[in-house]
C-alpha cells in the first residue's frame, strides 16, 4: 500500500472501469491498484487485495466492528450507519492529524460498494476463492463475475438441515478437504419428533464450502451463534473487534497476528491447531494465515447491545478473569 | 485431488498451539485445547472452554452413559472424537422451569415418551432440543463433545487449570 499526499485529480486512463464516489471519497482502479482519493490525499491498495476485502465487507454487511482493508483504510460498523476512514486506527496518521473519517448510511455505502465490486471484478476472478483456485484480476476490464460476488452469507435459524432451515450443501468437497469423511449420522426419530431429533455431518458440510473466510451460521442458542467457515491463505481483512469473539479450530492450523485495535501495534501471535480454543478480546484486531484449507468455528454473541457495553467500559474487553 | 491430509486431533493425538506474546498477557486469550481438557475431566463433567457473557461452550468427556440432562432452550453438541449415541425423551411434565438457562442434570430418567435417538461420530453435530431430556451413551473408547449452551448450574469453570497462563 502507498499513500500520496498530493493526489492527482484522476487517473486519466480508459481501461473500461468506472470511478465510484461517495461523500469526499472517490475510488478509481487501474491495471494493478485501487486508488482511494480523499480530501487529504490518495491511498493505494493492490486491486486483488482490495477486492477480496471489499467482498467481505459487502457480504458481511460491514460485519462486527472494524473492517481494516490494510493498516490505513477501512470501515467501522455502527449498525445503521458506517464510518469510512483513512488512518483512523493508525497511530502515525492520528498523531499527525492526517486521518480522515466520513459517516454514511449503511444502505448508501453498500450500494456504492456493490456497484464497484461488480464493475471491478473481472471474468475469471472470484474474490471469495483462495488465490490458488481463481484467475487474476489485473489488467483492463474484461467481463465480470456477478454470480460469484452475489453469494450471500448463510444464516441458520436453529441448525443446518432441520425442516425449514438452511439446507445441506451439494457442492463437491474442496480439493484440500477431500479426505473429510462424508458419512451421515444415524437419525432415528419417532413419529412426530422429526423436527427435534436431528444431527448432521458438520465437517462434511464445511468441506463443501466454495468460499474462504466467510463465516456462516450453522447453529444457534439464542444469541450464541456458531459461525463456521473454511480458511485458506490470508484473511483478506484485519478485523477490529467491537466485542469478544472466540475461535475454535476444528481442523488443521491457523496462525493469527494480533495487534492493538486502536494503534495497530503488535501484541501477540496465536497459533491454533485442531481442538484449540481461544478468545479474541474486544480491544484487538486480528488477521489469520491458514497454510492449508482448515475448518474454523467463529463463535459470536449476536446481542446488539454489546458494542455499547464494551465501548462504555461497562464490561471488560477480556472474557474471563483468572 | 490434493494430497494434503486434514488434521483433526483426538483424545489420544493432539498437538496444542499457543499464545506467543509480544506485548500482552496470554490470559487475555483464555487459550485451551478441548482434547487436553477432556483428557483430564471426569465423564460428562461440563468444563467451560469458552465464555461470552452468559453463553458458554463446554468440553465434555463422553465416557460410558451420562446422567439425563435437560434445558429450557436448544443446545448443540459437536462430536470432536468418539462414537456416541444421544437418546431423547419428551417428559410428561416439564423438568426445567421455563426461562431457566443452562443445562440441568436430572436425578433419574424422567417419565415420558421416547423421541428417538441419533448415532454420531467425529464431525457430526446433534441438536439437543429445548424441552426434551437427553442422555449420551458411549460404550467404546472415551470421546469428546463440544457443547454450545448457556452458563448453568452444571458448568464447571476452572480457567486457571486449563488455560495458558505464562508467556
Amino acid at each position: 500500500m502507498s499513500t500520496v499526499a498530493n493526489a492527482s485529480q484522476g487517473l486519466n486512463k480508459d481501461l473500461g472501469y468506472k470511478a465510484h464516489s461517495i461523500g469526499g471519497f472517490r475510488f478509481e482502479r487501474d491495471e494493478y491498484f485501487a486508488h482511494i482519493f480523499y480530501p487529504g490525499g490518495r491511498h493505494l491498495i493492490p486491486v486483488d487485495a482490495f477486492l477480496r476485502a471489499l467482498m467481505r465487507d459487502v457480504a458481511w454487511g460491514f460485519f462486527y466492528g472494524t473492517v481494516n482493508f490494510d493498516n490505513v483504510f477501512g470501515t467501522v460498523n455502527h449498525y445503521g450507519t458506517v464510518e469510512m476512514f483513512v488512518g483512523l486506527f493508525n497511530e502515525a496518521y492520528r498523531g499527525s492529524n492526517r486521518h480522515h473519517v466520513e459517516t454514511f448510511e449503511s444502505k448508501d455505502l453498500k450500494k456504492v460498494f456493490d456497484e464497484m465490486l461488480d464493475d471491478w471484478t473481472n471474468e475469471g476472478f472470484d474474490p471469495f476463492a483462495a488465490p490458488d483456485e481463481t484467475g487474476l484480476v489485473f489488467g483492463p476490464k474484461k467481463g465480470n463475475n456477478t454470480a460469484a460476488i452475489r453469494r450471500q452469507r448463510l444464516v441458520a435459524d436453529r441448525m443446518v438441515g432441520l425442516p425449514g432451515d438452511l439446507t445441506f450443501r451439494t457442492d463437491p468437497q474442496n480439493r484440500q478437504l477431500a479426505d473429510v469423511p462424508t458419512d451421515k449420522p444415524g437419525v432415528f426419530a419417532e413419529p412426530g419428533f422429526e423436527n427435534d431429533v436431528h444431527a448432521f455431518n458438520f465437517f462434511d458440510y464445511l468441506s463443501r464450502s466454495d468460499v474462504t473466510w466467510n463465516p456462516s451460521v450453522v447453529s444457534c442458542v439464542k444469541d450464541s451463534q456458531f459461525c463456521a467457515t473454511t480458511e485458506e491463505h490470508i484473511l483478506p481483512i484485519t478485523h477490529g473487534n467491537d466485542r469478544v469473539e472466540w475461535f475454535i479450530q476444528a481442523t488443521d492450523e491457523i496462525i493469527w497476528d494480533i495487534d492493538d485495535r486502536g494503534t495497530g501495534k503488535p501484541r501477540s501471535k496465536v497459533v491454533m491447531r485442531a481442538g484449540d480454543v481461544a478468545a479474541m478480546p474486544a480491544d484487538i484486531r486480528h488477521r489469520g494465515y491458514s497454510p492449508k484449507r482448515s475448518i474454523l468455528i467463529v463463535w459470536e454473541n449476536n446481542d446488539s447491545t454489546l458494542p455499547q457495553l464494551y465501548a462504555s467500559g461497562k464490561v471488560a474487553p477480556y472474557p474471563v478473569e483468572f | 485431488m490434493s494430497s494434503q491430509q486434514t488434521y483433526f486431533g483426538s483424545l489420544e493425538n493432539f498437538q496444542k498451539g499457543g499464545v506467543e506474546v509480544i506485548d500482552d498477557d496470554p490470559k487475555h486469550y483464555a487459550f485451551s485445547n478441548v482434547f487436553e481438557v477432556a483428557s483430564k475431566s471426569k465423564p460428562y463433567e461440563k468444563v467451560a472452554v469458552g465464555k461470552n457473557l452468559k453463553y458458554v461452550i463446554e468440553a465434555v468427556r463422553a465416557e460410558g452413559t451420562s446422567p439425563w440432562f435437560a434445558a429450557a432452550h436448544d443446545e448443540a453438541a459437536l462430536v470432536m472424537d468418539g462414537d456416541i449415541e444421544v437418546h431423547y425423551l419428551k417428559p410428561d411434565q416439564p423438568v426445567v422451569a421455563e426461562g431457566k438457562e443452562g443445562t440441568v442434570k436430572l436425578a433419574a430418567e424422567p417419565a415420558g415418551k421416547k423421541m428417538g435417538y441419533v448415532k454420531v461420530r467425529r464431525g457430526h453435530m446433534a441438536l439437543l432440543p429445548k424441552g426434551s431430556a437427553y442422555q449420551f451413551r458411549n460404550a467404546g473408547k472415551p470421546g469428546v463433545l463440544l457443547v454450545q449452551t448457556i452458563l448453568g448450574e452444571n458448568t464447571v469453570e476452572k480457567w486457571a487449570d486449563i488455560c495458558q497462563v505464562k508467556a
Side-chain angles (χ1 to χ4, degrees):
Chain A
M1 71 76 194
S2 174
T3 301
V4 181
N6 296 316
S8 65
Q9 292 305 303
L11 298 180
N12 296 319
K13 282 188 173 184
D14 186 10
L15 298 168
Y17 302 108
K18 296 174 187 168
H20 300 267
S21 300
I22 185 167
F25 287 91
R26 190 178 77 257
F27 299 86
E28 298 190 31
R29 78 154 282 186
D30 61 16
E31 291 94 332
Y32 289 115
F33 299 104
H35 299 247
I36 304 166
F37 296 91
Y38 64 101
R42 173 172 53 157
H43 181 64
L44 273 69
I45 300 177
V47 73
D48 54 335
F50 180 81
L51 290 174
R52 288 189 175 103
L54 186 65
M55 181 75 259
R56 272 70 184 183
D57 214 10
V58 165
W60 299 343
F62 303 106
F63 209 35
Y64 297 122
T66 306
V67 172
N68 296 286
F69 283 48
D70 60 8
N71 63 359
V72 174
F73 175 78
T75 60
V76 183
N77 194 357
H78 294 290
Y79 310 97
T81 63
V82 180
E83 287 180 327
M84 188 157 61
F85 63 82
V86 170
L88 182 63
F89 299 108
N90 182 300
E91 196 171 31
Y93 275 70
R94 289 293 296 266
S96 58
N97 202 29
R98 296 291 302 275
H99 60 288
H100 178 76
V101 185
E102 294 185 38
T103 301
F104 303 100
E105 293 292 321
S106 301
K107 61 180 173 46
D108 296 337
L109 185 57
K110 184 175 186 308
K111 182 172 185 293
V112 172
F113 277 10
D114 279 339
E115 291 171 354
M116 180 162 52
L117 184 63
D118 195 21
D119 179 30
W120 290 8
T121 300
N122 283 332
E123 175 187 326
F125 178 72
D126 180 356
F128 262 137
D132 192 33
E133 297 178 304
T134 189
L136 300 176
V137 71
F138 306 116
K141 183 167 176 60
K142 181 185 173 189
N144 57 31
N145 196 359
T146 303
I149 65 171
R150 293 282 162 82
R151 283 177 287 204
Q152 298 291 310
R153 184 174 183 236
L154 303 173
V155 179
D157 289 330
R158 200 175 173 204
M159 185 177 284
V160 166
L162 279 168
D165 212 321
L166 273 186
T167 55
F168 298 123
R169 290 186 171 123
T170 55
D171 308 86
Q173 286 189 307
N174 184 269
R175 76 206 190 290
Q176 291 198 354
L177 293 170
D179 58 346
V180 170
T182 60
D183 60 307
K184 291 181 170 56
V187 177
F188 308 94
E190 296 292 339
F193 294 109
E194 294 84 355
N195 285 358
D196 283 325
V197 176
H198 172 69
F200 76 105
N201 189 332
F202 170 91
F203 283 2
D204 179 46
Y205 176 80
L206 267 295
S207 75
R208 297 174 190 279
S209 171
D210 64 347
V211 294
T212 62
W213 308 102
N214 187 37
S216 294
V217 179
V218 295
S219 61
C220 296
V221 176
K222 299 187 179 180
D223 278 323
S224 162
Q225 297 181 329
F226 267 16
C227 308
T229 167
T230 57
E231 318 295 49
E232 182 179 339
H233 193 237
I234 304 170
L235 175 58
I237 60 125
T238 303
H239 180 210
N241 296 26
D242 68 1
R243 67 193 71 194
V244 170
E245 63 182 355
W246 287 76
F247 293 156
I248 304 151
Q249 191 70 39
T251 72
D252 304 294
E253 179 185 65
I254 297 179
I255 300 98
W256 295 94
D257 278 344
I258 311 294
D259 301 330
D260 185 82
R261 181 179 183 274
T263 67
K265 285 185 174 177
R267 287 176 49 168
S268 292
K269 281 185 184 291
V270 177
V271 179
M272 297 194 67
R273 300 187 180 124
D276 287 343
V277 181
M280 292 291 117
D283 60 352
I284 59 101
R285 64 176 87 168
H286 56 267
R287 187 171 213 196
Y289 303 81
S290 186
K292 174 196 172 293
R293 203 176 190 97
S294 64
I295 297 175
L296 175 72
I297 300 169
V298 181
W299 179 42
E300 298 283 2
N301 185 336
N302 195 43
D303 183 342
S304 62
T305 66
L306 292 185
Q308 180 57 30
L309 280 177
Y310 283 109
S312 66
K314 289 179 180 172
V315 292
Y318 312 112
V320 289
E321 298 285 342
F322 60 95
Chain B
M1 181 183 290
S2 168
S3 61
Q4 296 197 60
Q5 188 174 355
T6 299
Y7 174 65
F8 295 99
S10 67
L11 260 181
E12 296 165 342
N13 183 16
F14 62 90
Q15 296 176 324
K16 190 178 175 182
V19 181
E20 299 172 4
V21 166
I22 298 167
D23 182 15
D24 212 338
D25 182 344
K27 291 199 289 187
H28 292 161
Y29 301 88
F31 190 101
S32 68
N33 179 285
V34 297
F35 301 117
E36 183 178 65
V37 171
S39 73
K40 299 173 182 174
S41 296
K42 300 170 192 164
Y44 300 104
E45 185 181 23
K46 295 164 67 67
V47 181
V49 292
K51 184 179 182 183
N52 203 328
L53 300 176
K54 72 177 184 177
Y55 297 106
V56 291
I57 47 175
E58 300 166 337
V60 176
R61 179 185 181 92
E63 182 176 11
T65 300
S66 79
W68 283 89
F69 295 111
H73 48 77
D74 279 348
E75 302 171 287
L78 176 63
V79 182
M80 298 295 286
D81 192 15
D83 294 87
I84 295 154
E85 292 184 4
V86 190
H87 290 252
Y88 304 92
L89 277 175
K90 187 70 176 176
D92 291 336
Q93 303 294 328
V95 291
V96 182
E98 191 176 342
K100 185 177 177 68
E101 295 186 323
T103 311
V104 173
K105 187 189 297 183
L106 306 179
E109 179 177 334
K113 188 174 182 183
K114 281 190 165 64
M115 298 171 66
Y117 67 101
V118 297
K119 296 177 75 168
V120 286
R121 60 189 299 271
R122 184 173 69 190
H124 296 171
M125 178 179 272
L127 179 68
L128 308 173
K130 61 184 175 184
S132 70
Y134 59 87
Q135 184 183 54
F136 300 110
R137 300 177 188 174
N138 177 13
K141 68 182 183 68
V144 181
L145 296 165
L146 193 67
V147 177
Q148 178 188 12
T149 184
I150 300 177
L151 184 71
E153 61 200 30
N154 290 291
T155 305
V156 176
E157 294 191 77
K158 48 181 179 182
W159 300 100
D161 294 336
I162 67 169
C163 293
Q164 179 179 340
V165 294
K166 293 181 180 175

